Structure formats: C-alpha cells, structure tokens
C-alpha cells in the first residue's frame, strides 16, 4: 500500500559526507513526521533526526540527537514525498544501518500509520 525506499548509503572515510534519501510511494493522502533512525550491531535502534510537517511548506520543525547536531541536516520535499539526511564530518561511531520512518495517512484511511524503509548501510572507516 505504502512503500519507503532508501538510497545513498555506502562506505566513507572519517570526515567524509554522505546524503541519504528516502522516497515514499503508493496511495498516500498525507505525511506527517519524517524521521531517520539508525541501528549499530548489538545496539538498539535510535532516533537520529526528525522533521515535522510544515503544512504547505517543506520547513517543519527539526529535532536531532545530540551526537549529530551540527553535522547532520534533515530536510523534506513534500511534493516528492521524500526525506533526506545530509551527513557531514562522519565519524566511525556513525556506522550503522539507517532506516527512514514516516507517519502516513494512506488514501481512504481515517487513521495514521507508521511505515519503515528497508534500511541502508553506512560504514565510516579508513
């Protein structure tokens, strides 16, 4: 019904940059909060950043975990049902599988549902 497809992961050296994208498709009426989570081996999944709905604009309020503040930037394009995560000054401790998450009201539904992408690996290593 609704699918999220991520792209942009890979291997990068410390100090490098990557940009993740996540596009939603299917029968979508509206999308509220868009988020990025990550999960490192042996650790629980954690929230990295989120961006709220900006109404008729792409500029909803944003929230970041402390360890990525000043290095990562989350943004959204409502016309494309897409969320991005620009990651700069990457560190080895950023290595994880990154998952996008969207709070969606599918077309014809009266309730909101939570959807997840399949995950994309980000490895920061020299």
């Amino acid at each position: 019904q609704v699918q999220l497809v991520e792209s942009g992961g890979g291997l990068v050296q410390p100090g490098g940059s990557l940009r993740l994208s996540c596009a939603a498709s299917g029968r979508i009426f509206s999308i509220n909060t868009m988020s990025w989570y990550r999960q490192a081996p042996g650790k629980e999944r954690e929230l990295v950043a989120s961006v709220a709905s900006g109404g008729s604009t792409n500029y909803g309020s944003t929230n970041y975990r402390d360890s990525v503040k000043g290095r990562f930037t989350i943004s959204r394009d409502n016309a494309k049902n897409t969320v991005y995560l620009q990651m700069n000054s990457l560190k080895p401790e950023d290595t994880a599988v990154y998952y996008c998450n969207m709070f969606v009201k599918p077309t014809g539904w009266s309730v909101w549902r939570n959807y997840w992408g399949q995950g994309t690996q980000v490895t920061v290593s020299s």
Side-chain angles (χ1 to χ4, degrees):
Q1 191 172 40
V2 175
Q3 300 82 35
L4 305 187
V5 178
E6 299 151 354
S7 61
L11 172 64
V12 63
Q13 292 186 342
S17 298
L18 282 175
R19 188 191 194 211
L20 306 183
S21 300
C22 174
S25 62
R27 293 173 55 81
I28 298 169
F29 178 76
S30 182
I31 303 177
N32 198 322
T33 302
M34 298 180 175
S35 305
W36 286 96
Y37 287 74
R38 67 186 181 188
Q39 188 167 20
K43 295 188 177 181
E44 293 187 354
R45 191 172 296 189
E46 60 186 21
L47 176 65
V48 177
S50 63
V51 55
S53 169
S56 60
T57 75
N58 291 321
Y59 304 106
S61 60
T62 57
N63 179 59
Y64 298 92
R65 71 180 302 106
D66 287 345
S67 62
V68 307
K69 285 181 180 177
R71 300 189 296 123
F72 290 11
T73 302
I74 189 170
S75 61
R76 64 189 287 164
D77 185 333
N78 292 331
K80 297 180 179 179
N81 290 332
T82 298
V83 62
Y84 305 97
L85 185 68
Q86 178 66 44
M87 304 185 293
N88 298 329
S89 302
L90 282 161
K91 304 176 181 180
E93 50 264 44
D94 294 318
T95 296
V97 178
Y98 284 70
Y99 298 90
C100 66
N101 173 275
M102 295 188 188
F103 203 42
V104 179
K105 180 180 284 188
T107 302
W109 287 62
S110 60
V111 296
W112 295 81
R113 295 191 64 188
N114 212 21
Y115 290 90
W116 291 91
Q118 80 283 0
T120 185
Q121 177 70 46
V122 171
T123 303
V124 184
S125 175
S126 55

